PDB file of all heavy atoms in Angstrom:
ATOM      1  N   ASP C 224      13.741  73.800 -49.916  1.00  0.00           N
ATOM      2  CA  ASP C 224      12.596  73.018 -50.381  1.00  0.00           C
ATOM      3  C   ASP C 224      12.922  71.532 -50.538  1.00  0.00           C
ATOM      4  O   ASP C 224      12.052  70.743 -50.898  1.00  0.00           O
ATOM      5  CB  ASP C 224      12.115  73.547 -51.739  1.00  0.00           C
ATOM      6  CG  ASP C 224      11.679  74.994 -51.672  1.00  0.00           C
ATOM      7  OD1 ASP C 224      11.165  75.405 -50.614  1.00  0.00           O
ATOM      8  OD2 ASP C 224      11.856  75.710 -52.671  1.00  0.00           O
ATOM      9  N   LEU C 225      14.157  71.164 -50.274  1.00  0.00           N
ATOM     10  CA  LEU C 225      14.615  69.803 -50.564  1.00  0.00           C
ATOM     11  C   LEU C 225      13.797  68.731 -49.842  1.00  0.00           C
ATOM     12  O   LEU C 225      13.412  67.724 -50.437  1.00  0.00           O
ATOM     13  CB  LEU C 225      16.096  69.671 -50.217  1.00  0.00           C
ATOM     14  CG  LEU C 225      16.821  68.475 -50.777  1.00  0.00           C
ATOM     15  CD1 LEU C 225      16.668  68.384 -52.289  1.00  0.00           C
ATOM     16  CD2 LEU C 225      18.287  68.523 -50.394  1.00  0.00           C
ATOM     17  N   ARG C 226      13.505  68.925 -48.584  1.00  0.00           N
ATOM     18  CA  ARG C 226      12.767  67.915 -47.822  1.00  0.00           C
ATOM     19  C   ARG C 226      11.344  67.744 -48.357  1.00  0.00           C
ATOM     20  O   ARG C 226      10.877  66.624 -48.545  1.00  0.00           O
ATOM     21  CB  ARG C 226      12.756  68.272 -46.340  1.00  0.00           C
ATOM     22  CG  ARG C 226      12.221  67.154 -45.479  1.00  0.00           C
ATOM     23  CD  ARG C 226      12.571  67.397 -44.012  1.00  0.00           C
ATOM     24  NE  ARG C 226      12.189  66.291 -43.193  1.00  0.00           N
ATOM     25  CZ  ARG C 226      12.912  65.199 -43.013  1.00  0.00           C
ATOM     26  NH1 ARG C 226      14.071  65.076 -43.587  1.00  0.00           N
ATOM     27  NH2 ARG C 226      12.482  64.223 -42.253  1.00  0.00           N
ATOM     28  N   SER C 227      10.659  68.841 -48.617  1.00  0.00           N
ATOM     29  CA  SER C 227       9.280  68.734 -49.105  1.00  0.00           C
ATOM     30  C   SER C 227       9.246  68.158 -50.521  1.00  0.00           C
ATOM     31  O   SER C 227       8.360  67.363 -50.851  1.00  0.00           O
ATOM     32  CB  SER C 227       8.567  70.087 -49.047  1.00  0.00           C
ATOM     33  OG  SER C 227       9.201  71.018 -49.890  1.00  0.00           O
ATOM     34  N   VAL C 228      10.209  68.535 -51.359  1.00  0.00           N
ATOM     35  CA  VAL C 228      10.277  67.984 -52.718  1.00  0.00           C
ATOM     36  C   VAL C 228      10.595  66.494 -52.666  1.00  0.00           C
ATOM     37  O   VAL C 228       9.975  65.687 -53.366  1.00  0.00           O
ATOM     38  CB  VAL C 228      11.307  68.749 -53.579  1.00  0.00           C
ATOM     39  CG1 VAL C 228      11.555  68.052 -54.903  1.00  0.00           C
ATOM     40  CG2 VAL C 228      10.844  70.181 -53.801  1.00  0.00           C
ATOM     41  N   SER C 229      11.541  66.108 -51.814  1.00  0.00           N
ATOM     42  CA  SER C 229      11.896  64.691 -51.671  1.00  0.00           C
ATOM     43  C   SER C 229      10.702  63.868 -51.206  1.00  0.00           C
ATOM     44  O   SER C 229      10.466  62.762 -51.690  1.00  0.00           O
ATOM     45  CB  SER C 229      13.047  64.526 -50.677  1.00  0.00           C
ATOM     46  OG  SER C 229      14.197  65.168 -51.135  1.00  0.00           O
ATOM     47  N   THR C 230       9.930  64.427 -50.280  1.00  0.00           N
ATOM     48  CA  THR C 230       8.737  63.741 -49.784  1.00  0.00           C
ATOM     49  C   THR C 230       7.720  63.555 -50.907  1.00  0.00           C
ATOM     50  O   THR C 230       7.180  62.460 -51.089  1.00  0.00           O
ATOM     51  CB  THR C 230       8.096  64.540 -48.628  1.00  0.00           C
ATOM     52  OG1 THR C 230       9.064  64.713 -47.598  1.00  0.00           O
ATOM     53  CG2 THR C 230       6.877  63.827 -48.069  1.00  0.00           C
ATOM     54  N   ALA C 231       7.479  64.615 -51.669  1.00  0.00           N
ATOM     55  CA  ALA C 231       6.509  64.542 -52.767  1.00  0.00           C
ATOM     56  C   ALA C 231       6.938  63.525 -53.823  1.00  0.00           C
ATOM     57  O   ALA C 231       6.109  62.741 -54.312  1.00  0.00           O
ATOM     58  CB  ALA C 231       6.341  65.919 -53.404  1.00  0.00           C
ATOM     59  N   VAL C 232       8.224  63.501 -54.155  1.00  0.00           N
ATOM     60  CA  VAL C 232       8.726  62.541 -55.139  1.00  0.00           C
ATOM     61  C   VAL C 232       8.577  61.116 -54.610  1.00  0.00           C
ATOM     62  O   VAL C 232       8.103  60.218 -55.321  1.00  0.00           O
ATOM     63  CB  VAL C 232      10.198  62.846 -55.501  1.00  0.00           C
ATOM     64  CG1 VAL C 232      10.810  61.717 -56.319  1.00  0.00           C
ATOM     65  CG2 VAL C 232      10.301  64.164 -56.251  1.00  0.00           C
ATOM     66  N   ALA C 233       8.953  60.893 -53.357  1.00  0.00           N
ATOM     67  CA  ALA C 233       8.851  59.550 -52.766  1.00  0.00           C
ATOM     68  C   ALA C 233       7.408  59.053 -52.742  1.00  0.00           C
ATOM     69  O   ALA C 233       7.132  57.875 -53.016  1.00  0.00           O
ATOM     70  CB  ALA C 233       9.435  59.552 -51.358  1.00  0.00           C
ATOM     71  N   ILE C 234       6.488  59.935 -52.438  1.00  0.00           N
ATOM     72  CA  ILE C 234       5.066  59.560 -52.405  1.00  0.00           C
ATOM     73  C   ILE C 234       4.602  59.127 -53.792  1.00  0.00           C
ATOM     74  O   ILE C 234       3.939  58.095 -53.944  1.00  0.00           O
ATOM     75  CB  ILE C 234       4.212  60.727 -51.864  1.00  0.00           C
ATOM     76  CG1 ILE C 234       4.475  60.905 -50.367  1.00  0.00           C
ATOM     77  CG2 ILE C 234       2.721  60.501 -52.137  1.00  0.00           C
ATOM     78  CD1 ILE C 234       3.920  62.204 -49.794  1.00  0.00           C
ATOM     79  N   GLU C 235       4.955  59.898 -54.806  1.00  0.00           N
ATOM     80  CA  GLU C 235       4.534  59.558 -56.169  1.00  0.00           C
ATOM     81  C   GLU C 235       5.201  58.266 -56.660  1.00  0.00           C
ATOM     82  O   GLU C 235       4.577  57.472 -57.367  1.00  0.00           O
ATOM     83  CB  GLU C 235       4.804  60.721 -57.119  1.00  0.00           C
ATOM     84  CG  GLU C 235       3.950  61.941 -56.830  1.00  0.00           C
ATOM     85  CD  GLU C 235       2.452  61.637 -56.758  1.00  0.00           C
ATOM     86  OE1 GLU C 235       1.934  60.934 -57.665  1.00  0.00           O
ATOM     87  OE2 GLU C 235       1.810  62.086 -55.806  1.00  0.00           O
ATOM     88  N   VAL C 236       6.457  58.051 -56.306  1.00  0.00           N
ATOM     89  CA  VAL C 236       7.143  56.807 -56.686  1.00  0.00           C
ATOM     90  C   VAL C 236       6.461  55.616 -56.021  1.00  0.00           C
ATOM     91  O   VAL C 236       6.211  54.587 -56.659  1.00  0.00           O
ATOM     92  CB  VAL C 236       8.639  56.872 -56.317  1.00  0.00           C
ATOM     93  CG1 VAL C 236       9.292  55.498 -56.436  1.00  0.00           C
ATOM     94  CG2 VAL C 236       9.363  57.882 -57.197  1.00  0.00           C
ATOM     95  N   ALA C 237       6.123  55.744 -54.743  1.00  0.00           N
ATOM     96  CA  ALA C 237       5.443  54.667 -54.033  1.00  0.00           C
ATOM     97  C   ALA C 237       4.077  54.373 -54.651  1.00  0.00           C
ATOM     98  O   ALA C 237       3.707  53.208 -54.852  1.00  0.00           O
ATOM     99  CB  ALA C 237       5.295  55.023 -52.553  1.00  0.00           C
ATOM    100  N   LYS C 238       3.331  55.410 -54.967  1.00  0.00           N
ATOM    101  CA  LYS C 238       2.014  55.226 -55.597  1.00  0.00           C
ATOM    102  C   LYS C 238       2.151  54.530 -56.952  1.00  0.00           C
ATOM    103  O   LYS C 238       1.348  53.653 -57.289  1.00  0.00           O
ATOM    104  CB  LYS C 238       1.305  56.569 -55.764  1.00  0.00           C
ATOM    105  CG  LYS C 238       0.793  57.149 -54.457  1.00  0.00           C
ATOM    106  CD  LYS C 238       0.137  58.501 -54.704  1.00  0.00           C
ATOM    107  CE  LYS C 238      -0.402  59.117 -53.442  1.00  0.00           C
ATOM    108  NZ  LYS C 238      -1.016  60.435 -53.691  1.00  0.00           N
ATOM    109  N   ALA C 239       3.154  54.908 -57.723  1.00  0.00           N
ATOM    110  CA  ALA C 239       3.373  54.280 -59.030  1.00  0.00           C
ATOM    111  C   ALA C 239       3.758  52.809 -58.866  1.00  0.00           C
ATOM    112  O   ALA C 239       3.301  51.955 -59.629  1.00  0.00           O
ATOM    113  CB  ALA C 239       4.461  55.028 -59.804  1.00  0.00           C
ATOM    114  N   ALA C 240       4.580  52.504 -57.869  1.00  0.00           N
ATOM    115  CA  ALA C 240       4.972  51.111 -57.619  1.00  0.00           C
ATOM    116  C   ALA C 240       3.765  50.273 -57.221  1.00  0.00           C
ATOM    117  O   ALA C 240       3.621  49.123 -57.665  1.00  0.00           O
ATOM    118  CB  ALA C 240       6.043  51.059 -56.528  1.00  0.00           C
ATOM    119  N   ILE C 241       2.886  50.849 -56.413  1.00  0.00           N
ATOM    120  CA  ILE C 241       1.664  50.135 -56.018  1.00  0.00           C
ATOM    121  C   ILE C 241       0.777  49.911 -57.243  1.00  0.00           C
ATOM    122  O   ILE C 241       0.294  48.798 -57.476  1.00  0.00           O
ATOM    123  CB  ILE C 241       0.915  50.914 -54.913  1.00  0.00           C
ATOM    124  CG1 ILE C 241       1.725  50.886 -53.609  1.00  0.00           C
ATOM    125  CG2 ILE C 241      -0.485  50.341 -54.695  1.00  0.00           C
ATOM    126  CD1 ILE C 241       1.249  51.866 -52.549  1.00  0.00           C
ATOM    127  N   LYS C 242       0.591  50.949 -58.031  1.00  0.00           N
ATOM    128  CA  LYS C 242      -0.243  50.862 -59.236  1.00  0.00           C
ATOM    129  C   LYS C 242       0.287  49.816 -60.218  1.00  0.00           C
ATOM    130  O   LYS C 242      -0.466  49.067 -60.827  1.00  0.00           O
ATOM    131  CB  LYS C 242      -0.320  52.223 -59.914  1.00  0.00           C
ATOM    132  CG  LYS C 242      -1.172  52.242 -61.158  1.00  0.00           C
ATOM    133  CD  LYS C 242      -1.182  53.620 -61.796  1.00  0.00           C
ATOM    134  CE  LYS C 242      -1.916  53.552 -63.123  1.00  0.00           C
ATOM    135  NZ  LYS C 242      -1.737  54.791 -63.892  1.00  0.00           N
ATOM    136  N   ASP C 243       1.633  49.771 -60.368  1.00  0.00           N
ATOM    137  CA  ASP C 243       2.259  48.831 -61.310  1.00  0.00           C
ATOM    138  C   ASP C 243       2.376  47.417 -60.755  1.00  0.00           C
ATOM    139  O   ASP C 243       2.801  46.503 -61.456  1.00  0.00           O
ATOM    140  CB  ASP C 243       3.650  49.326 -61.704  1.00  0.00           C
ATOM    141  CG  ASP C 243       3.598  50.585 -62.558  1.00  0.00           C
ATOM    142  OD1 ASP C 243       2.505  50.941 -63.051  1.00  0.00           O
ATOM    143  OD2 ASP C 243       4.665  51.217 -62.731  1.00  0.00           O
ATOM    144  N   GLY C 244       2.026  47.238 -59.481  1.00  0.00           N
ATOM    145  CA  GLY C 244       2.063  45.910 -58.877  1.00  0.00           C
ATOM    146  C   GLY C 244       3.454  45.436 -58.485  1.00  0.00           C
ATOM    147  O   GLY C 244       3.670  44.241 -58.320  1.00  0.00           O
ATOM    148  N   VAL C 245       4.394  46.353 -58.334  1.00  0.00           N
ATOM    149  CA  VAL C 245       5.757  45.963 -57.977  1.00  0.00           C
ATOM    150  C   VAL C 245       6.126  46.342 -56.542  1.00  0.00           C
ATOM    151  O   VAL C 245       7.245  46.068 -56.102  1.00  0.00           O
ATOM    152  CB  VAL C 245       6.794  46.552 -58.954  1.00  0.00           C
ATOM    153  CG1 VAL C 245       6.594  45.990 -60.354  1.00  0.00           C
ATOM    154  CG2 VAL C 245       6.740  48.067 -58.970  1.00  0.00           C
ATOM    155  N   ALA C 246       5.208  46.947 -55.824  1.00  0.00           N
ATOM    156  CA  ALA C 246       5.484  47.331 -54.434  1.00  0.00           C
ATOM    157  C   ALA C 246       5.469  46.099 -53.548  1.00  0.00           C
ATOM    158  O   ALA C 246       4.620  45.228 -53.692  1.00  0.00           O
ATOM    159  CB  ALA C 246       4.443  48.332 -53.947  1.00  0.00           C
ATOM    160  N   ARG C 247       6.440  46.016 -52.648  1.00  0.00           N
ATOM    161  CA  ARG C 247       6.493  44.899 -51.697  1.00  0.00           C
ATOM    162  C   ARG C 247       5.503  45.097 -50.564  1.00  0.00           C
ATOM    163  O   ARG C 247       5.070  44.146 -49.943  1.00  0.00           O
ATOM    164  CB  ARG C 247       7.897  44.766 -51.122  1.00  0.00           C
ATOM    165  CG  ARG C 247       8.917  44.350 -52.155  1.00  0.00           C
ATOM    166  CD  ARG C 247      10.258  44.184 -51.506  1.00  0.00           C
ATOM    167  NE  ARG C 247      11.271  43.899 -52.500  1.00  0.00           N
ATOM    168  CZ  ARG C 247      12.548  43.832 -52.255  1.00  0.00           C
ATOM    169  NH1 ARG C 247      12.988  44.017 -51.031  1.00  0.00           N
ATOM    170  NH2 ARG C 247      13.404  43.576 -53.204  1.00  0.00           N
TER     171      ARG C 247
END
C-alpha cells in the first residue's frame, strides 16, 4: 500500500500548502 498511501499524503500536503499560501 506504500505507493497509494504516499500519493494520498502528498496530495493532502500539497492542498494544505496551497490553502496556507506557501505553495510555490
Side-chain angles (χ1 to χ4, degrees):
D224 300 328
L225 196 54
R226 190 165 186 84
S227 63
V228 171
S229 297
T230 303
V232 169
I234 289 168
E235 293 308 313
V236 168
K238 287 178 179 179
I241 291 167
K242 181 181 174 191
D243 291 347
V245 296
R247 293 182 185 173

